[in-house]
Amino acid sequence: MDRASLNGTLENVVIKVVPMENLNGRKLVEAGNLCERRNGRGVDLNRNWSVDWGKKEKDYDPYEENPGIAPFSEPETQIMRKIAISFDPHIWVNVHSGMEALFMPYDHKNRTPDGLPSQRMRLLLEELNNVHCHKRCMIGSGGGSVGYLAHGTATDYMHDVVRVPMSFTFEIYGDNTATLKDCFKMFNPVDHTTFKRVLNDWSAAFFTIFKLGPHQIDVHSKAAVSSMDKWVSIDEYFDGYLMGRRNRYGKKMEVLEVGMQEIRTYFRLFLLSSVLLLFMFCSRISKTGRQIVSAIPI
């Protein structure tokens, strides 16, 4: 891509990059546990999102796929959710390694979404595969392509909840000659030539997304989503509130986590009682109104 075309493309997009989601897990890997994929609390972050959370397949491995005690129980997924909802992107790409693939939703189903948006996603992925992946990449839904279903993933949440028009998972490298115990070689280029090829191919792929993506997206589709779909649950509100307070005050707010379930329960009871009282009040006014009308002489 020539520089003028690249600059023209970049002038029309806003890019937000999270270079590393799993900071504590990365520290474990750098300390020598090269096959570790979980965070510092032993949770698989890509199973900790709320869409179809906690469902376990027959081949479920509790060590590898620990989804946590509840959706968004981990600070990393809470932060990513907050970024996604506030930024409200048109395109989301979750970058992985382990194979070469271009995945679209769904991860928890053996199929892709229905309709024109899904067709547009596939067309863009096919273009990337032909131009940058040299037709090596697998294309399709994550759940229908890799041989297993994954529940509680980030990409499915972005598609179903945040309503991102194009939600992808890119697997940018994999060495199928590596043994299962040689995780570094399986997930990372080990020579400079391969490293440079991977870097160039996928950098160019992202620039192609920036150039072609806007033409494949109905930019008004997100604005057309009803306000009801933007409401958040009580659990999500409290999670976000406590996360913000903890960021402001540090460890002093951790004691509130102990009573989270109790706070949610009391708040639900408060809302329920308020609705019931409102209903009784309206009912009383309605009955009183009928009595007054009937007392008026004709």
Side-chain angles (χ1 to χ4, degrees), residues 119-178:
Q119 298 173 18
R120 289 172 173 169
M121 280 192 280
R122 182 175 286 274
L123 286 174
L124 180 57
L125 294 184
E126 289 175 350
E127 177 69 14
L128 296 178
N129 187 35
N130 292 333
V131 176
H132 303 294
C133 208
H134 313 292
K135 299 183 179 181
R136 294 192 309 266
C137 288
M138 188 182 300
I139 295 179
S141 70
S145 302
V146 298
Y148 62 88
L149 301 180
H151 307 276
T153 67
T155 297
D156 284 356
Y157 181 87
M158 296 300 163
H159 179 269
D160 279 5
V161 180
V162 186
R163 303 296 181 90
V164 179
M166 291 192 170
S167 303
F168 301 125
T169 300
F170 287 179
E171 298 273 359
I172 65 172
Y173 179 79
D175 187 344
N176 55 18
T177 66

Side-chain angles (χ1 to χ4, degrees), residues 23-47:
L23 180 62
N24 290 328
R26 174 62 178 258
K27 291 178 179 178
L28 294 174
V29 171
E30 291 180 345
N33 191 357
L34 299 179
C35 294
E36 182 60 76
R37 58 174 285 146
R38 304 168 302 168
N39 71 350
R41 291 150 52 109
V43 174
D44 183 342
L45 296 177
N46 205 34
R47 302 294 186 273

Side-chain angles (χ1 to χ4, degrees), residues 6-18 83-84 86-93 164 166 206-207 209-211 213-214 217 219 222:
L6 175 59
N7 290 336
T9 297
L10 294 178
E11 286 178 356
N12 297 313
V13 295
V14 177
I15 305 165
K16 187 178 287 289
V17 180
V18 180
I83 290 173
S86 62
F87 188 56
D88 200 22
H90 292 93
I91 300 174
W92 153 272
V93 182
V164 179
M166 291 192 170
F206 273 95
F207 288 130
I209 292 175
F210 301 150
K211 185 175 182 179
I217 297 173
V219 294
K222 290 180 73 66

Side-chain angles (χ1 to χ4, degrees), residues 195-229:
F195 173 80
K196 189 174 181 178
R197 174 186 63 79
V198 172
L199 183 64
N200 288 341
D201 285 347
W202 288 100
S203 296
F206 273 95
F207 288 130
T208 297
I209 292 175
F210 301 150
K211 185 175 182 179
L212 300 181
H215 301 289
Q216 298 285 354
I217 297 173
D218 180 5
V219 294
H220 303 293
S221 62
K222 290 180 73 66
V225 175
S226 67
S227 59
M228 184 68 72
D229 291 328

Side-chain angles (χ1 to χ4, degrees), residues 174-191:
D175 187 344
N176 55 18
T177 66
T179 64
L180 293 177
K181 294 184 178 181
D182 191 356
C183 290
F184 188 86
K185 184 180 180 182
M186 183 183 298
F187 294 99
N188 302 275
V190 294
D191 63 83

